[in-house]
Amino acid sequence: MTTRREAIKTAARLLVLTPAAVAYFERPTSADAPAESKYDMAKHWWAMSIDIEKCIGCGNCVRGCANENAVPRGYFRTWVERYQAPAYPDEDHPEVDSPDGAFNGFPEKKKDNAKSFFVPKLCNQCAHSPCVQVCPVGATFETPDGLVLVDQTYCLGCRYCVQACPYGCRYIHPEKQTVDKCTFCYHRISKGLVTACVEVCPTGARTLADLKDPKDPIHAFLRDNPVQVLKPHMATGAKVYYKSLDESVR
Amino acid sequence: MEPVTKLVEGFMYPNEVELQWSILIVLYPYITGLVAGAFILASLERVFRVEAVKPTYRLALLTALAFLLVAPLPLQLHLGHPERSFEMFLTPHRSSAMAMFGFVYLWYLAAVLVMEIWLDFRKDIVLLSRTAPSAMRWIYKLLTLGSQNISERSLQIDDRVGYIVTVVGIPSAFLLHGYVGFIFGSVKANPWWSTPLMPIVFLFSAISSGISVVLLIYMAATRLRRQALDMRCLDTMGSYLFYLFVIDFTLEMVDLTHRIYEAGESFQSLDFMVHSRLYFSHIVVQIVLGTLVPLALLGSAQLWRMSEARRKSVYALSGLLIMTGIFAMRWNVVIGGQLFSKSFLGYTTYKLEFATREGLLAAILLMILPFIILWALVKLLPPWTTLAHEAAGGRDGGNT
Amino acid sequence: MKEAVHLVRLAALFAAGFVAFLVIRQMVVPAGFGKYGHFRAGALDDIRARPISYAGHGTCEACHDDQHNVLAKGKHAQVSCEACHGPQNRHAEEPDKVKPVLPDTRVLCASCHESNSAKPKKFPQVVASDHSGGEPCKSCHVPHNPKLSTEKGQ
């Protein structure tokens, strides 16, 4: 096979075919593709599962994310919220806080007779992203493997996407003056690692998932648990799935 | 960090504490609104043949151009990377309202306004290119595009083409400003913005503010030129202003009633905001001072006979109030839409800075700039019909 | 037509502007734009090429199977090395040059175990000041296997 192709190639050169024809014969085939492009976007569809009952609000994810991605202090690609939903008649007024995005965890704050829990948040990597929809230039985009990313060299800093994100996941990087957000640690997951927040989460509250992988535990997770996404009425196609998400969470 | 967190009441998502769109983005719909309004006023005369407003026709066109030239500046100043803004034309994202606005703007600037003004002033330009002092003459020569033809026939053609341009221009003006409304109205994440009425409300408030600004400029310019005001023109503008403003007010009330009646998930949060942080700018300035008072003033001018002097002051005062009220409306939309958390659990504060890139000073300068441009435009192309004729007789038209 | 020469010139001006725009556009739009969607394809590689700070527990275990074996037997089995030791990719690449600073257990253990009413009830929590009285946790617990050190011999 190879020898035959080799022969055709030489013949083509000898026959002084047009450069286009030579290029055609010399086009890269999958066999001789360079090693670093092993990551195949078509084979992945990234998502995340979050089990609220496991989150201990330690803030490891927030610090881990900031370390991994050089997130400027005061801005957050991921953060943790504490909900304290009181009983009737105040059930409509949950008390929520996130001191410094939970960078240093949460100081104890007792609230009697309240349902209390932590909610980790990050970009939902929406499949129908409102933020991508409004970007005027194609600086933020949906990738074939299901992520929403930002091209830092192309962003104008118009902030329209920040307004369009229903979840508050975007910020303007104070030095770069471009928009910044969670990338699901694309530089890690494309090398076979998990995201930094998942790596350092001590309780397994967060799990990175690949929906295109039939063996991924996400399928059992989605099948066996009642699961919800944030603000489902926004119809954003959010791909961060929460187990045990309380009604009071916004 | 400390002072910032103090501005927050309740809970905001941590990235929300900082406001994204400043007073400059308030100016942007305000200025484009003035453009659209001034143009619609001009087309009243041309397409709908409202002869009475003729004295303001050319002035309205030049006003529209002056403001349109300034309209993109607040956006540019606000961008993190203004040097990349041309990407909006190179790789426009078709689903983005903002990207498409760039094209609507260009279309309106080049194909409608510049063309209409050029056609309308061409005779004056040609005449001035013969008579103006030497330095200016070159500018006029350039503007004639090397054609000195002002024969009866060519002017007829100009008039015909100009008419077509105006007819195309009206929907374009609607598009221009309706589109600005759409930029806000289409953000589904923000319940304060997200309503299909937004483009229409923006449009009618734009027309009202545009008519007001031309009315005020006309009154001021006539006084500066020591000429008599054309009362018939003023009365007509006053009545149009009244009717359009009634429509604008109705639309806003429809929107408000709808929100109050539906009382969706965001209602409590927005209601609280209107009664606290936005009370002054929304209730006091926008609704009472900026809407009810001018409506009462203009309405009484319609209902009762008033002396000329009193009508003049009624129109001037209403014009000023309407412009203030509509500025407040833009403010309440743009700033108000960012004061509450998208979690509906808290509120932040907008701190207006002074001498920063997006501060008050920049905003004031940007609001003065269109008037300087207008002044230059008026010097270059005197819109006063009488003077243009005098210029034809050999006098220097630029010397008013 | 003669009467409309100026209009033709105006049209030509617009046409020239449009052509200039098209030419500039051709030259300036970055290569690879639109390959996978409305964006610069190279941005994907740029983002993938960012440096890593957390090596991942698989990497640590390759050299530190002692610690790994201890860890795997205890209650901290599911806690990854870098959750306690911080980002150690540079150490994993050059273990001789970059030596991790060992964490202070008074701070470290409390960051997860300090009791908090919003934590899941079944998560083991202590009020550190009562529980240890300011003593480092490691004087009674083994960090890698948090059972009491005294139990070790048993």
Side-chain angles (χ1 to χ4, degrees):
Chain A
M1 192 65 200
T2 349
T3 44
R4 205 172 127 222
R5 236 179 71 202
E6 232 30 79
I8 295 175
K9 260 190 198 171
T10 340
R13 289 208 187 90
L14 285 175
L15 286 169
V16 203
L17 280 178
T18 59
V22 176
Y24 175 78
F25 284 115
E26 283 183 347
R27 77 196 187 285
T29 52
S30 53
D32 29 71
E36 68 264 23
S37 65
K38 252 190 226 145
Y39 177 74
D40 184 355
M41 285 194 284
K43 293 212 175 94
H44 304 274
W45 191 250
W46 297 108
M48 190 175 281
S49 61
I50 294 186
D51 185 346
I52 291 190
E53 281 169 12
K54 285 187 180 164
C55 180
I56 58 169
C58 63
N60 248 4
C61 49
V62 184
R63 295 185 292 273
C65 176
N67 278 330
E68 180 72 35
N69 299 298
V71 179
R73 287 292 279 119
Y75 301 86
F76 302 91
R77 290 185 177 198
T78 183
W79 68 97
V80 185
E81 295 164 7
R82 166 167 57 189
Y83 272 73
Q84 298 186 303
Y88 176 85
D90 290 319
E91 78 279 16
D92 277 350
H93 300 285
E95 216 169 275
V96 186
D97 67 341
S98 181
D100 201 5
F103 192 90
N104 293 310
F106 289 84
E108 170 68 308
K109 189 176 93 187
K110 281 225 161 66
K111 192 170 170 75
D112 291 336
N113 222 351
K115 176 161 61 175
S116 303
F117 51 91
F118 297 109
V119 185
K121 295 238 177 124
L122 74 168
C123 171
N124 289 277
Q125 310 291 353
C126 307
H128 322 290
S129 308
C131 56
V132 170
Q133 186 184 30
V134 302
C135 175
V137 297
T140 187
F141 47 89
E142 287 162 14
T143 65
D145 39 358
L147 299 179
V148 174
L149 300 178
V150 178
D151 183 348
Q152 302 285 353
T153 64
Y154 214 64
C155 172
L156 309 175
C158 75
R159 307 170 179 219
Y160 200 12
C161 57
V162 186
Q163 307 285 10
C165 173
Y167 308 103
C169 292
R170 291 174 165 253
Y171 57 87
I172 294 291
H173 194 289
E175 275 112 51
K176 296 188 204 153
Q177 284 295 309
T178 52
V179 76
D180 205 8
K181 68 176 275 291
C182 163
T183 61
F184 256 27
C185 288
Y186 197 39
H187 59 300
R188 297 176 61 87
I189 63 178
S190 57
K191 293 188 185 78
L193 296 166
V194 295
T195 67
C197 56
V198 169
E199 175 68 34
V200 300
C201 177
T203 60
R206 301 175 176 232
T207 319
L208 178 72
D210 182 354
L211 289 166
K212 274 196 184 162
D213 176 0
K215 291 200 287 288
D216 197 294
I218 182 77
H219 301 293
F221 178 86
L222 294 178
R223 186 179 57 235
D224 299 341
N225 298 300
V227 170
Q228 185 57 287
V229 294
L230 294 173
K231 303 195 181 185
H233 59 281
M234 285 285 160
T236 54
K239 295 206 300 295
V240 173
Y241 300 100
Y242 287 83
K243 181 186 158 203
S244 315
L245 188 68
D246 191 75
E247 168 272 338
S248 59
V249 176
R250 293 281 173 277
Chain B
M1 266 324 280
E2 212 31 54
V4 176
T5 36
K6 288 237 174 66
L7 305 172
V8 175
E9 184 183 336
F11 171 71
M12 309 267 317
Y13 297 134
N15 292 327
E16 272 182 334
V17 173
E18 199 175 80
L19 251 70
Q20 299 300 329
W21 284 351
S22 64
I23 185 168
L24 294 188
I25 307 296
V26 177
L27 284 189
Y28 153 71
Y30 188 57
I31 292 178
T32 32
L34 296 176
V35 176
F39 183 83
I40 305 264
L41 177 65
S43 44
L44 268 185
E45 193 272 334
R46 182 118 196 198
V47 177
F48 302 111
R49 312 238 174 260
V50 183
E51 284 297 319
V53 297
K54 187 148 194 162
T56 61
Y57 170 63
R58 296 176 130 196
L59 184 62
L61 282 183
L62 294 185
T63 309
L65 181 59
F67 278 96
L68 191 68
L69 288 175
V70 176
L73 292 186
L75 292 181
Q76 285 289 343
L77 214 55
H78 152 88
L79 286 183
H81 286 272
E83 79 283 3
R84 294 182 187 167
S85 58
F86 66 92
E87 289 167 3
M88 237 187 256
F89 295 105
L90 298 178
T91 57
H93 192 206
R94 278 194 308 276
S95 68
S96 167
M98 198 182 276
M100 288 304 112
F101 179 80
F103 289 94
V104 174
Y105 173 84
L106 258 197
W107 160 260
Y108 190 73
L109 176 71
V112 177
L113 255 189
V114 168
M115 190 129 152
E116 174 153 350
I117 291 176
W118 188 70
L119 288 173
D120 203 77
F121 280 88
R122 209 175 61 81
K123 185 176 168 200
D124 307 46
I125 294 173
V126 169
L127 292 176
L128 285 164
S129 77
R130 295 176 190 159
T131 57
S134 59
M136 292 297 288
R137 199 175 301 173
W138 282 106
I139 299 181
Y140 290 117
K141 279 240 167 74
L142 205 66
L143 287 177
T144 61
L145 295 184
S147 162
Q148 291 279 334
N149 186 356
I150 45 171
S151 68
E152 195 75 1
R153 176 83 189 104
S154 73
L155 290 181
Q156 250 172 22
I157 296 179
D158 284 0
D159 195 53
R160 195 71 214 140
V161 176
Y163 180 79
I164 297 172
V165 171
T166 318
V167 172
V168 176
I170 295 174
S172 304
F174 276 58
L175 188 67
L176 179 76
H177 204 68
Y179 220 99
V180 177
F182 186 70
I183 287 183
F184 295 96
S186 62
V187 177
K188 70 175 167 189
N190 189 322
W192 184 243
W193 291 345
S194 172
T195 151
L197 273 183
M198 193 62 100
I200 314 182
V201 172
F202 260 55
L203 193 60
F204 277 94
S205 53
I207 300 175
S208 312
S209 68
I211 295 182
S212 303
V213 78
V214 177
L215 183 122
L216 292 173
I217 293 176
Y218 174 62
M219 290 179 86
T222 319
R223 168 160 285 195
L224 284 177
R225 293 168 58 235
R226 297 178 205 292
Q227 305 267 332
L229 277 170
D230 182 336
M231 271 325 274
R232 194 165 75 99
C233 172
L234 274 193
D235 287 336
T236 316
M237 284 168 88
S239 64
Y240 275 107
L241 194 51
F242 177 66
Y243 297 131
L244 284 164
F245 209 45
V246 167
I247 300 180
D248 179 40
F249 184 57
T250 315
L251 285 171
E252 284 191 37
M253 286 307 111
V254 167
D255 185 38
L256 197 66
T257 318
H258 189 84
R259 281 168 188 274
I260 295 175
Y261 194 82
E262 268 197 348
E265 71 163 336
S266 59
F267 179 70
Q268 277 193 353
S269 180
L270 301 184
D271 187 54
F272 176 79
M273 185 176 73
V274 169
H275 286 97
S276 54
R277 293 182 185 218
L278 281 187
Y279 185 79
F280 180 71
S281 62
H282 197 267
I283 309 273
V284 177
V285 181
Q286 184 187 335
I287 295 189
V288 177
L289 286 180
T291 310
L292 296 178
V293 174
L295 270 182
L297 284 173
L298 288 171
S300 54
Q302 298 291 313
L303 286 176
W304 292 289
R305 296 178 69 89
M306 290 182 186
S307 70
E308 214 166 87
R310 171 160 298 173
R311 291 208 311 277
K312 273 188 212 162
S313 30
V314 161
Y315 294 144
L317 184 61
S318 315
L320 272 178
L321 285 177
I322 290 177
M323 287 193 63
T324 319
I326 288 174
F327 180 80
M329 181 250 177
R330 311 293 194 233
W331 174 280
N332 294 328
V333 168
V334 176
I335 304 294
Q338 304 173 75
L339 289 184
F340 63 93
S341 167
K342 286 174 191 150
S343 67
F344 309 132
L345 293 167
Y347 309 88
T348 186
T349 315
Y350 175 49
K351 265 202 8 242
L352 182 57
E353 287 157 333
F354 184 68
T356 53
R357 193 170 72 144
E358 298 193 42
L360 184 62
L361 187 65
I364 292 174
L365 292 179
L366 279 175
M367 265 332 274
I368 294 174
L369 189 59
F371 291 96
I372 298 176
I373 296 180
L374 180 61
W375 175 80
L377 281 176
V378 167
K379 287 273 166 212
L380 189 69
L381 305 169
W384 332 112
T385 358
T386 46
L387 276 180
H389 287 307
E390 277 167 321
R395 271 200 36 209
D396 173 12
N399 257 347
T400 2
Chain C
M1 204 60 220
K2 207 176 106 251
E3 301 288 1
V5 167
H6 57 284
L7 290 178
V8 175
R9 286 193 188 149
L10 188 68
L13 212 59
F14 279 142
F18 187 64
V19 170
F21 166 74
L22 288 183
V23 171
I24 294 175
R25 180 168 190 272
Q26 203 57 42
M27 294 188 317
V28 180
V29 171
F33 199 97
K35 191 173 169 202
Y36 300 115
H38 193 80
F39 61 96
R40 190 175 61 89
L44 292 173
D45 295 325
D46 292 357
I47 297 170
R48 279 189 215 132
R50 284 185 196 161
I52 279 170
S53 3
Y54 289 90
H57 55 273
T59 313
C60 316
E61 285 154 13
C63 295
H64 291 287
D65 50 352
D66 291 1
Q67 282 79 12
H68 172 60
N69 291 338
V70 179
L71 204 71
K73 289 193 198 96
K75 288 273 185 182
H76 279 159
Q78 59 168 333
V79 186
S80 97
C81 316
E82 285 161 307
C84 292
H85 287 286
Q88 295 300 349
N89 188 50
R90 283 180 48 235
H91 160 71
E93 275 172 0
E94 293 176 304
D96 312 323
K97 293 216 182 90
V98 185
K99 210 172 160 193
V101 182
L102 291 180
D104 176 356
T105 53
R106 268 170 302 204
V107 183
L108 175 75
C109 311
S111 74
C112 285
H113 287 291
E114 185 66 54
S115 110
N116 191 310
S117 53
K119 279 185 183 168
K121 300 288 163 286
K122 48 185 195 291
F123 185 79
Q125 306 164 43
V126 294
V127 177
S129 50
D130 300 346
H131 181 75
S132 72
E135 225 182 306
C137 316
K138 69 173 179 187
S139 54
C140 297
H141 299 276
V142 182
H144 289 163
N145 184 349
K147 67 179 184 192
L148 298 172
S149 358
T150 47
E151 293 169 29
K152 249 198 302 194
Q154 295 170 3

